[in-house]
Amino acid sequence: MAAACPCGSGASFAACCRPYLRGEAHAPTAEALMRSRYTAFVRRDAVHLASTWHPSTRPLDVAAGLDELEWRGLEILGTTDGGEGDEAGTVTFVAHHATGVLTLGQHRETSRFVREDGVWLYVDGDLS
Ligand SMILES: [Zn+2]
């Protein structure tokens, strides 16, 4: 049985985020990119995080801190625009994490994405 994608889409990893992490395809929507970036956090894939981060806001060391949290699940709460015909969009989500057995937390953010030359990129986000 194929492994479920970490992003929680219900699809297998191979049919969901893997092509984006491997650079075989570009995510068609802002939400698909958001999901692939969550999966990259789960898999500690700094290469995918760097390649999908807008150069104007990308940290010098994308890998810094990647090992600190254990990610436990993603919920997409809403989106605005970010579709295949759009040039910008937002995705609001909650990502659940743990720093230890008893320390559960969540990261809630509205992320901004832009599409440049047909490729969606993460710009920044507001914590909420
Ligand atoms: Zn996925």
Side-chain angles (χ1 to χ4, degrees), residues 2-127:
C5 193
C7 80
S9 65
S12 70
F13 178 51
C16 188
C17 292
R18 191 175 74 184
Y20 311 137
L21 268 64
R22 284 187 175 177
E24 295 167 352
H26 290 300
T29 64
E31 180 179 339
L33 185 71
M34 164 63 226
R35 287 182 173 281
S36 77
R37 285 175 51 84
Y38 172 80
T39 297
F41 274 105
V42 172
R43 298 173 62 88
R44 320 232 193 276
D45 185 337
V47 173
H48 183 67
L49 291 173
S51 70
T52 58
W53 214 311
H54 196 277
S56 68
T57 54
R58 185 168 55 214
L60 286 176
D61 183 4
V62 172
L66 267 190
D67 290 336
E68 286 169 20
L69 295 178
E70 205 65 52
W71 295 94
R72 296 291 177 81
L74 174 69
E75 291 173 60
I76 303 290
L77 302 179
T79 62
T80 60
D81 299 325
E84 296 185 36
D86 294 319
E87 300 300 320
T90 69
V91 179
T92 302
F93 66 93
V94 175
H96 300 276
H97 57 73
T99 50
V101 177
L102 295 174
T103 313
L104 297 173
Q106 62 180 31
H107 177 98
R108 183 181 165 125
E109 178 179 323
T110 297
S111 298
R112 275 181 288 277
F113 297 87
V114 295
R115 197 165 63 124
E116 293 186 353
D117 299 325
V119 178
W120 283 105
L121 297 168
Y122 170 77
V123 180
D124 59 11
D126 294 325
L127 300 181

